[in-house]
Amino acid sequence: MFLPNDYDPHGRLKLPVFFWLVLLLQARTWVLFVAAGASREQGEALLRLFYPDSEMFWLGLLPGIPAVLAFLLSGRRGRWPTLWTAWRWVLIAAQIGLLVWQVALAVSEAALSGITLALMVLDVVALVWLLTNPRVKACFSPSDE
């Protein structure tokens, strides 16, 4: 089913590139936080551009925590196989939470912005991909270890 190049030197199935993009999408507020911290002069302006309400910024960090932890766990998935196997469902739940949050923001705002609409579409695509991609399912299966 998978090619030999799809496996790492430890015999585990490599995570697909799109998986890392989904993690970046889920951790988008964290990415913005790091980018703002790296550019000290423009950092505050960058944060205000995307999050005029600072309370929404701090709330935006919460759904990205599972993605940040997935980045950390991915290198240790052989050490904690049970946690790794369950983490796909944690990521799916986080993606559903992000999607619900985007819809709630869109409903509460008077006008639907292009960024909000794009993020909603990306969240739906990421959710469907996490649920249906056979390689992701295989990467998170206990037999992969």
Side-chain angles (χ1 to χ4, degrees):
M1 182 170 168
F2 298 108
L3 300 173
N5 288 343
D6 293 336
Y7 293 89
D8 67 9
H10 303 288
R12 290 187 301 253
L13 194 57
K14 292 179 189 174
L15 290 159
V17 174
F18 198 67
F19 174 76
W20 302 109
L21 296 175
V22 167
L23 290 185
L24 286 174
L25 177 68
Q26 285 188 358
R28 56 187 169 246
T29 306
W30 286 89
V31 172
L32 180 64
F33 182 62
V34 170
S39 60
R40 292 187 181 149
E41 290 84 33
Q42 296 95 4
E44 190 176 330
L46 184 65
L47 288 177
R48 269 190 272 123
L49 176 68
F50 288 98
Y51 288 98
D53 180 11
S54 64
E55 187 176 309
M56 291 302 286
F57 170 75
W58 296 111
L59 286 174
L61 290 173
L62 291 176
I65 291 173
V68 170
L69 292 175
F71 275 113
L72 299 173
L73 282 173
S74 65
R76 303 272 188 237
R77 61 183 172 154
R79 183 172 291 195
W80 297 305
T82 306
L83 180 62
W84 179 252
T85 301
W87 210 255
R88 176 174 165 255
W89 294 106
V90 172
L91 292 173
I92 289 169
Q95 192 64 50
I96 291 169
L98 275 168
L99 184 58
V100 167
W101 190 34
Q102 286 295 330
V103 170
L105 285 175
V107 168
S108 69
E109 294 177 0
L112 184 65
S113 72
I115 292 174
T116 305
L117 185 59
L119 285 174
M120 285 185 348
V121 169
L122 287 172
D123 284 337
V124 168
V125 169
L127 178 61
V128 169
W129 187 80
L130 282 172
L131 286 168
T132 61
N133 187 274
R135 184 162 172 181
V136 170
K137 287 179 185 178
C139 286
F140 282 91
S141 73
S143 62
D144 182 41
E145 306 302 327

